[in-house]
Amino acid sequence: MKPIITFANFGNYSEIFKTLFEELGIEVLPPEKTNPQAISEGAEIAPEMYCLPLKVNLGNYLSAIRKGANTIFMTTASGGSCRLRYYGVIQEKVLKETGYNVNFIVFDQKIGDIYSKIKEISDASIFQILKVFYYFWRKLNLIETLERKAQYLRPREIEKGTTDQLLIKSISEIGNLKDEKAFPKLKKEILEKFSQIKIKEKKDLPKIGLIGEIYTVCDQNVNFGLERKLGEAGIEVHRQMNLSYHLKKKVFFKDFFIQKKIKPYLGSTVGGHGRDAIYEMLNYIKEDFDGVIHLLPAFCVVENTGITVEGYLQKPIQEIKVREKVLTHKGRFRKVTQVFCRNYRGKILKIDCGGRLKLEITPEHPVLLAKSFIRNQKRILEDLKFTPIKEAKKGDFLAIPIPAEFKKTNYFKWGKKYNRKPKWEDIKKFPYSPERRPNNLYLDIGNRNLADVVSYLCGFYCDKKIIHNDLRQLRPDLQKEILKGFFRGDGNFRDEYGEIPYRGVTTSWNLASQLFWFLIRNRIKPSFYDQNIKNRKPSWMIKISNAEGIKRLGDEKIKVTDRTNNIRFRELKDYFLVPIRKIETIDFKGKVYNLEVEDDRSYVANFLACHNCMPEISVRPILEEIHQESGIPFLSLSLDEQVAEAGIDTRLEAFIDVVRNYHKNKHSNILT
């Protein structure tokens, strides 16, 4: 089958990518310009925790595939910290699962790899390929020259819109020009037209530097036309990050010099062009700019946030190690691939859902949230989705995933050697009397064999109890028997009007965490509290507060009066939803942490489902620090498929006012 090539839309560069393939004798079907429908379609099929460029790329591909494209040509990276190196594999997998069986040609950003991949689909000679790429480079440089001229002319043009009209027309002409000999003439004509745009002779305008990941800063369809809006507001925009800058870095090893300059702020590599962002911001400050805008998301949680790890144990996030398995929002355990720690100074949101269900989290961090509203005196829930926590309000619901994984086990492997065969039939039943249950610190067991089994599966000492791995992997209905034993031994039950609690208390934090998850696995929503009593060991209370939950436990020794199930939480197929009772904003200075988790890109923090973090977000607090040191106005904008243009515009308008005042005051100080 003859390949029909398509590729991801990349702003003004898309026109010259199209002609690049055409001049190599390759049939090409270019993608439509990025639009809300493309973003929505891409986000719908993409892994929900991947970054915006991947989702936009998928949306671009879909429109071209429907028109007949059968081969996707895309660039990737063999190393570094950016997820771009995974795009080819992920996108091919997603499209195939959606029913689009297309061929992917993925090449690394190296000359040899680019040449070999082009030879797979083109009969062009090496001389022809070099000639076409040289012509492509000339067109690329002209487009970027015009973009810089537009950045200068927009805030100064007398007739608004003239610059953008000419820019759009010129880029189309450049893209459609196939005769390389005619290029100098076209270039001269276009530059002449730009020089004829009438402008106000006002040189002293506020200047803003635009920094961030290359895709979000270069494609005006992705960033809501940020450069155009700033220009129309009388702001001169400068953007160093573009395609030629990025390619030159590869050739001339500029990353080495960038890293050397930013070393006091960042000593490692990150994705999202994070190092470039720091480098560019420092340069803009040196050049006396009036503001900086950064495009990239960011989110983290604070120290000692409990992460649910394999075995249904809670482990402080700062102690999590690479390759350790953590529970994800899909109710399964996946490996941690990277752990990040950074210093953070800014706002932290304290989210309280009752008891141990609390989070201290940066405002941009997405959590699995169902927004709610009141209609006809009833609380209505919207769809559950990952949403920045700053958008949550009291009364919205966070999610506790219901783990479903288990290991089919018909027996336990007992490794202890005996001199004579134990009489296992003597210990099938554990002697128990509710009236004479042990309440001291020790449990005396008369049968040696039973004592061995209990110590093997449950451990020693009340505050060190932990359920053995063989029991943790049982089916939920079998784990229910462990729950019955706990509540019978360490619990008490009250069935009174207005209150139906079944409480159990333990001084083992590990046991309490495991019992909480065992209840969740059996679709019983418990409450989980600290219980600190003076002169006693710390203890934790597990409480089932509703009649339906106690009935689901299925303890034949407990009889519950039928009453209306008055509950605050909601139950879905894969989640319990708990309402946010309180949100508090505090100032914070200290270390925050984030994780990179394979496949599901999420983890469970303090029993609540949170979005995976990205390594590149460690740059944002560094930029904030530079902003605090220098005093330059700084705005950080998060872009994803859920961001509305109106919200961006509101923040942009407020920031423009700050920049104008900063410029005015700076200019007044110079005059005085």
Side-chain angles (χ1 to χ4, degrees):
M1 182 173 61
K2 182 180 178 181
I4 302 174
I5 297 290
T6 192
F7 50 90
N9 187 281
F10 194 3
N12 293 330
Y13 300 123
S14 297
E15 287 284 348
I16 57 174
F17 276 115
K18 177 177 75 75
T19 54
L20 169 68
F21 290 115
E22 289 174 342
E23 288 162 17
L24 288 169
I26 302 169
E27 187 174 352
V28 60
L29 207 165
E32 296 177 358
K33 285 188 176 181
T34 300
N35 54 61
Q37 182 180 348
I39 295 174
S40 177
E41 288 185 343
E44 187 175 343
I45 65 173
E48 54 196 357
M49 273 80 67
Y50 257 88
C51 49
L52 180 64
L54 180 137
K55 298 173 182 178
V56 176
N57 289 174
L58 284 170
N60 295 152
Y61 300 152
L62 288 175
S63 64
I65 291 169
R66 293 186 188 118
K67 293 177 181 178
N70 57 30
T71 304
I72 292 170
F73 201 84
M74 71 161 296
T75 181
T76 184
S78 59
S81 302
C82 185
R83 282 185 181 81
L84 180 62
R85 63 190 187 274
Y86 302 128
Y87 271 27
V89 176
I90 295 295
Q91 290 175 341
E92 184 174 14
K93 182 175 184 291
V94 167
L95 287 172
K96 284 185 177 179
E97 289 176 350
T98 314
Y100 297 102
N101 193 15
V102 295
N103 183 34
F104 264 74
I105 298 177
V106 181
F107 63 91
D108 189 18
Q109 297 173 26
K110 296 176 182 176
I111 294 174
D113 194 47
I114 295 171
Y115 171 74
S116 64
K117 292 299 169 62
I118 287 178
K119 287 297 291 181
E120 290 180 17
I121 54 175
S122 172
D123 295 327
S125 66
I126 186 170
F127 174 76
Q128 289 173 309
I129 292 174
L130 291 174
K131 183 180 178 182
V132 168
F133 268 92
Y134 175 67
Y135 187 28
F136 171 83
W137 183 256
R138 295 175 71 188
K139 286 185 173 183
L140 172 66
N141 279 315
L142 178 56
I143 284 178
E144 291 177 347
T145 298
L146 299 183
E147 286 181 335
R148 287 190 291 271
K149 285 187 173 294
Q151 291 164 355
Y152 177 84
L153 292 169
R154 279 193 196 100
R156 296 175 170 87
E157 63 185 5
I158 294 174
E159 186 177 344
K160 294 298 180 183
T162 305
T163 301
D164 281 306
Q165 290 174 11
L166 181 56
L167 179 64
I168 293 169
K169 181 182 178 183
S170 299
I171 288 172
S172 178
E173 290 175 347
I174 295 168
N176 292 327
L177 183 67
K178 296 181 180 180
D179 183 5
E180 186 176 0
K181 293 180 180 178
F183 179 76
K185 181 182 177 183
L186 178 64
K187 178 180 178 180
K188 183 178 179 180
E189 290 174 354
I190 290 174
L191 293 176
E192 180 65 26
K193 290 176 183 177
F194 269 85
S195 68
Q196 291 174 0
I197 293 177
K198 295 181 180 179
I199 61 173
K200 299 175 183 176
E201 293 299 332
K202 183 181 179 182
K203 296 180 181 180
D204 185 34
L205 290 176
K207 292 189 293 185
I208 284 179
L210 185 59
I211 62 176
E213 188 269 333
I214 187 171
Y215 191 78
T216 55
V217 299
C218 288
D219 194 334
Q220 299 300 301
N221 295 307
V222 172
N223 63 37
F224 303 109
L226 202 59
E227 292 184 13
R228 174 179 54 80
K229 290 175 180 177
L230 287 167
E232 290 173 352
I235 306 292
E236 183 179 332
V237 179
H238 287 246
R239 168 171 52 84
Q240 186 173 354
M241 178 58 68
N242 54 33
L243 188 54
S244 66
Y245 170 83
H246 180 65
L247 295 174
K248 287 175 183 176
K249 281 203 312 168
K250 294 282 183 181
V251 175
F252 299 111
F253 307 103
K254 190 174 180 180
D255 278 331
F256 172 79
F257 301 102
I258 291 175
Q259 187 62 56
K260 188 175 180 181
K261 182 169 182 177
I262 69 169
K263 192 174 182 181
Y265 297 97
L266 181 68
S268 61
T269 61
V270 293
H273 296 103
R275 294 187 299 179
D276 299 276
I278 299 171
Y279 176 77
E280 290 162 22
M281 186 169 182
L282 292 171
N283 283 342
Y284 288 137
I285 292 170
K286 186 177 179 180
E287 294 171 14
D288 201 25
F289 272 57
D290 302 296
V292 173
I293 296 178
H294 178 234
L295 302 180
L296 203 69
F299 32 83
C300 282
V301 295
V302 301
E303 192 174 50
N304 292 321
T305 298
I307 306 300
T308 302
V309 298
E310 204 168 25
Y312 298 106
L313 301 170
Q314 296 297 108
K315 191 172 183 180
I317 191 169
Q318 67 270 23
E319 296 178 11
I320 299 293
K321 306 296 182 186
V322 171
R323 300 190 65 80
E324 196 165 3
K325 288 188 176 182
V326 299
L327 187 65
T328 74
H329 78 290
K330 292 188 176 180
R332 58 187 184 177
F333 291 94
R334 288 294 182 267
K335 289 181 183 178
V336 174
T337 57
Q338 293 191 69
V339 179
F340 302 95
C341 171
R342 60 187 173 94
N343 291 314
Y344 173 75
R345 180 173 61 184
K347 301 296 182 183
I348 286 285
L349 298 183
K350 297 178 72 173
I351 310 298
D352 187 354
C353 295
R356 295 290 306 183
L357 306 182
K358 298 177 181 178
L359 279 176
E360 293 187 16
I361 192 168
T362 52
E364 301 291 340
H365 198 137
V367 295
L368 200 51
L369 179 79
K371 293 186 177 182
S372 69
F373 59 92
I374 304 296
R375 179 187 293 165
N376 298 328
Q377 299 182 338
K378 290 185 178 181
R379 186 169 291 278
I380 309 297
L381 269 63
E382 297 180 0
D383 291 339
L384 191 65
K385 61 183 179 181
F386 280 103
T387 306
I389 190 62
K390 67 180 181 181
E391 297 181 18
K393 64 181 185 304
K394 181 180 177 181
D396 289 343
F397 287 74
L398 296 181
I400 303 172
I402 300 176
E405 289 183 328
F406 69 89
K407 183 178 179 181
K408 188 175 181 180
T409 305
N410 296 321
Y411 61 88
F412 295 132
K413 186 176 181 180
W414 184 251
K416 185 169 181 177
K417 295 181 179 179
Y418 291 91
N419 293 327
R420 59 182 182 179
K421 186 178 179 180
K423 295 182 179 180
W424 297 112
E425 62 274 8
D426 294 343
I427 62 169
K428 287 182 179 178
K429 290 187 177 181
F430 189 94
Y432 169 78
S433 170
E435 291 78 24
R436 299 184 61 188
R437 64 183 183 183
N439 59 8
N440 59 332
L441 295 177
Y442 298 94
L443 175 64
D444 295 323
I445 300 176
N447 188 302
R448 182 190 299 271
N449 297 327
L450 177 59
D452 286 341
V453 173
V454 171
S455 63
Y456 171 74
L457 294 177
C458 304
F460 293 86
Y461 307 112
C462 62
D463 58 346
K464 292 182 173 60
K465 289 179 184 175
I466 187 170
I467 298 173
H468 191 272
N469 189 54
D470 288 339
L471 299 179
R472 296 195 294 257
Q473 296 182 15
L474 290 173
R475 297 195 318 266
D477 61 307
L478 295 177
Q479 291 175 340
K480 192 182 292 184
E481 300 304 313
I482 300 171
L483 293 167
K484 291 179 187 178
F486 166 72
F487 280 105
R488 290 178 186 177
D490 287 322
N492 65 80
F493 174 69
R494 180 183 299 170
D495 186 358
E496 298 177 359
Y497 182 77
E499 188 174 13
I500 312 178
Y502 199 1
R503 297 184 179 93
V505 177
T506 176
T507 56
S508 169
W509 167 243
N510 287 330
L511 178 62
S513 301
Q514 292 175 320
L515 293 172
F516 176 89
W517 284 114
F518 281 15
L519 286 164
I520 293 292
R521 281 166 59 78
N522 280 280
R523 307 195 74 85
I524 301 169
K525 162 59 181 66
S527 300
F528 192 180
Y529 298 98
D530 294 336
Q531 185 172 267
N532 296 314
I533 302 174
K534 190 176 180 180
N535 298 325
R536 292 191 182 182
K537 290 183 177 181
S539 57
W540 292 270
M541 178 193 295
I542 304 289
K543 182 172 74 170
I544 308 172
S545 302
N546 60 91
E548 178 61 28
I550 296 174
K551 287 179 181 178
R552 289 183 183 183
L553 185 61
D555 191 338
E556 61 275 8
K557 296 184 179 294
I558 298 295
K559 302 297 180 184
V560 183
T561 305
D562 287 327
R563 295 200 182 102
T564 303
N565 222 15
N566 226 354
I567 57 173
R568 295 180 180 178
F569 65 87
R570 305 290 178 89
E571 183 178 352
L572 304 180
K573 178 185 176 183
D574 299 313
Y575 303 96
F576 281 112
L577 304 183
V578 291
I580 297 175
R581 300 182 182 183
K582 183 180 178 182
I583 300 178
E584 182 183 355
T585 302
I586 62 171
D587 292 318
F588 179 87
K589 183 180 180 181
K591 293 185 181 299
V592 290
Y593 299 81
N594 54 51
L595 307 174
E596 174 81 13
V597 182
E598 68 177 2
D599 296 337
D600 296 344
R601 311 295 182 214
S602 64
Y603 54 88
V604 175
N606 288 351
F607 309 101
L608 302 169
C610 295
H611 194 296
N612 193 100
C613 281
M614 293 187 286
E616 54 267 30
I617 57 89
S618 57
V619 168
R620 179 170 285 175
I622 297 173
L623 299 176
E624 291 278 2
E625 181 184 346
I626 296 171
H627 152 65
Q628 295 288 342
E629 291 173 353
S630 65
I632 188 173
F634 175 67
L635 175 64
S636 190
L637 293 174
S638 299
L639 296 179
D640 61 28
E641 70 277 11
Q642 298 176 21
V643 170
E645 184 173 4
I648 294 292
D649 288 348
T650 300
R651 296 188 65 190
L652 195 60
E653 288 169 7
F655 183 68
I656 287 170
D657 287 339
V658 173
V659 168
R660 285 171 176 162
N661 289 331
Y662 179 85
H663 176 75
K664 181 180 178 181
N665 292 335
K666 183 178 68 175
H667 188 65
S668 299
N669 291 335
I670 292 172
L671 292 176
T672 56

